[in-house]
């Protein structure tokens, strides 16, 4: 049986860990509010812009429009943008994204596609390079320091646009976690290039079937609008990821603090039992000695 000193050291160690997890929970809770507000504010604009791009893409048939809108006419080479965090201690946040990325990549490979991976975040790189190191073409890290901004999305979008202009891929897809609540995040797979056509069963929108008139010039407007849409969609994914990260981290640290409390209770109980056993043993020895005399 461990000594009383061993129990005290263990309890002290767990108490120190509990202080850290409680502090991390409070920090994550404070940052979650701001990240959640930003993610919610970005949703309407990003979703409306995505619908407009999808409708425009369906109006340009046969590859007649810009490549960012109508695509290259092929889907042979697929770029998968896996967006995770740079840090851990956030529950299943990173692993759920990587798990879906692996499933998506396996499906593409089984269909005979060539897959390239752009890892956004250290955890995406570290976990995917075990199985797909030869597919990772680049890694972008340290986004959102000290605070996530539109410039971070522009950095990722510029890299994606550069690869597309060089003809390095045909279709680009981003995988991220969409924030639902502090305890629930939904892994989302969204195609960025070209924008997916509206689903056949989707409800009709006011833009469906419309004939667009461009002022001042179609090429000039789309040349500015399409890269902006790419950046907006990536920015939305990063904002959703940030809110999901802090929500998952807050939940994970709360669970860790509770578990540490349970461990402290068990260790304290075992220590008290050990101390009582030690006292009882000493009393028996004293009584036995007195009787012997």
């Amino acid at each position: 049986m461990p000594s009383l000193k061993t129990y005290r050291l263990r309890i002290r160690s767990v108490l120190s860990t509990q202080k850290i997890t409680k502090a991390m929970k409070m920090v994550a809770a404070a940052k979650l509010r701001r990240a959640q507000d930003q993610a919610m504010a970005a949703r309407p604009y990003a979703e409306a812009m995505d619908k407009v791009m999808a409708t425009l893409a369906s109006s340009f048939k046969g590859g007649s429009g810009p490549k960012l809108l109508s695509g290259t006419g092929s889907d042979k080479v697929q770029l998968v943008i896996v967006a995770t965090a740079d840090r851990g201690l956030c529950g299943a946040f990173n692993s759920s994204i990587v798990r879906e990325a692996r499933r998506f990549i396996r499906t593409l490979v089984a269909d005979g596609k060539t897959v390239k991976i752009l890892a956004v975040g250290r955890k995406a790189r570290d976990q995917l390079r075990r199985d797909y190191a030869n597919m990772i073409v680049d890694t972008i890290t340290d986004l959102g320091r000290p605070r996530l901004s539109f410039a971070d999305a522009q950095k990722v979008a510029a890299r994606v646009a550069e690869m597309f202009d060089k003809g390095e891929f045909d279709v680009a897809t981003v995988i991220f976690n969409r924030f639902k609540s502090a305890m629930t995040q939904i892994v989302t797979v969204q195609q960025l290039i070209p924008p997916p056509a509206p689903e056949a069963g989707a409800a009709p929108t006011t833009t469906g079937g419309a004939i667009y008139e461009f002022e001042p010039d179609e090429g000039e407007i789309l040349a500015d609008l399409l890269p902006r849409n790419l950046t907006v969609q990536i920015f939305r994914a990063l904002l959703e990821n940030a809110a999901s990260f802090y929500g998952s981290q807050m939940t994970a640290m709360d669970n860790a603090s509770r578990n540490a409390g349970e461990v402290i209770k068990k260790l304290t109980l075992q220590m008290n039992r050990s101390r009582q056993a030690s006292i009882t043993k000493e009393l028996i020895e004293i009584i036995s000695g007195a009787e012997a005399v």
Side-chain angles (χ1 to χ4, degrees):
M1 181 179 291
S3 64
L4 292 178
K5 182 178 180 181
T6 302
Y7 280 120
R8 291 192 185 98
L9 289 175
R10 288 183 181 178
I11 292 173
R12 193 180 306 167
S13 175
V14 177
L15 277 171
S16 300
T17 303
Q18 189 182 47
K19 289 180 181 178
I20 295 173
T21 56
K22 284 184 176 180
M24 292 184 67
K25 175 193 170 184
M26 293 175 64
V27 171
K31 292 184 177 181
L32 172 61
R33 181 66 179 179
R34 181 188 298 273
Q36 182 179 351
D37 290 342
Q38 288 181 320
M40 294 300 180
R43 278 184 187 175
Y45 180 75
E47 290 175 355
M49 200 166 187
D50 191 38
K51 289 180 180 179
V52 171
M53 291 297 103
T55 307
L56 278 173
S58 63
S59 65
F60 286 99
K61 297 180 179 180
S64 58
K67 282 189 175 182
L68 274 176
L69 187 63
S70 58
T72 61
S74 173
D75 61 350
K76 180 65 177 176
V77 183
Q78 301 266 344
L79 176 68
V80 181
I81 307 168
V82 185
T84 64
D86 289 328
R87 296 169 292 164
L89 298 177
C90 53
F93 171 78
N94 291 313
S95 59
S96 61
I97 297 174
V98 173
R99 189 184 307 114
E100 178 61 25
R102 285 198 176 102
R103 186 203 62 79
F104 186 68
I105 292 170
R106 285 196 300 266
T107 302
L108 293 176
V109 172
D111 291 339
K113 312 297 182 183
T114 300
V115 179
K116 297 182 179 181
I117 300 173
L118 174 60
V120 179
R122 289 191 179 89
K123 293 301 179 179
R125 177 197 63 192
D126 294 343
Q127 295 186 35
L128 286 174
R129 68 182 176 185
R130 300 171 188 170
D131 302 319
Y132 306 109
N134 59 327
M135 296 182 183
I136 299 177
V137 294
D138 199 359
T139 302
I140 300 176
T141 60
D142 297 325
L143 297 179
R145 293 188 179 184
R147 185 180 300 174
L148 187 63
S149 65
F150 195 69
D152 295 315
Q154 288 177 323
K155 182 179 179 180
V156 180
R159 183 69 180 100
V160 175
E162 178 187 1
M163 294 178 63
F164 187 69
D165 291 339
K166 293 180 179 179
E168 296 182 13
F169 66 88
D170 300 312
V171 178
T173 305
V174 63
I175 302 176
F176 62 97
N177 257 332
R178 184 168 64 86
F179 179 82
K180 184 176 181 181
S181 68
M183 298 184 65
T184 307
Q185 298 85 36
I186 303 173
V187 181
T188 304
V189 179
Q190 180 182 353
Q191 183 173 311
L192 298 178
I193 302 175
E199 297 180 3
T205 61
T206 55
T207 57
I211 299 176
Y212 292 92
E213 294 184 2
F214 298 92
E215 287 288 344
D217 176 71
E218 172 185 334
E220 182 179 345
I221 292 176
L222 292 180
D224 178 73
L225 186 62
L226 294 174
R228 184 184 299 271
N229 174 65
L230 177 62
T231 307
V232 166
Q233 300 305 327
I234 292 176
F235 188 44
R236 175 203 177 185
L238 295 179
L239 289 175
E240 295 279 356
N241 254 8
S244 299
F245 171 79
Y246 290 124
S248 183
Q249 186 178 63
M250 185 184 72
T251 303
M253 292 301 101
D254 181 58
N255 292 334
S257 299
R258 293 175 185 271
N259 293 337
E262 293 296 326
V263 171
I264 291 171
K265 288 181 181 179
K266 291 180 181 179
L267 288 174
T268 303
L269 180 60
Q270 292 173 1
M271 182 183 70
N272 291 336
R273 286 177 177 173
S274 177
R275 182 170 57 186
Q276 289 173 359
S278 177
I279 293 173
T280 302
K281 181 180 178 182
E282 290 178 1
L283 287 174
I284 291 173
E285 290 176 351
I286 293 173
I287 294 172
S288 299
E291 291 179 349
V293 172

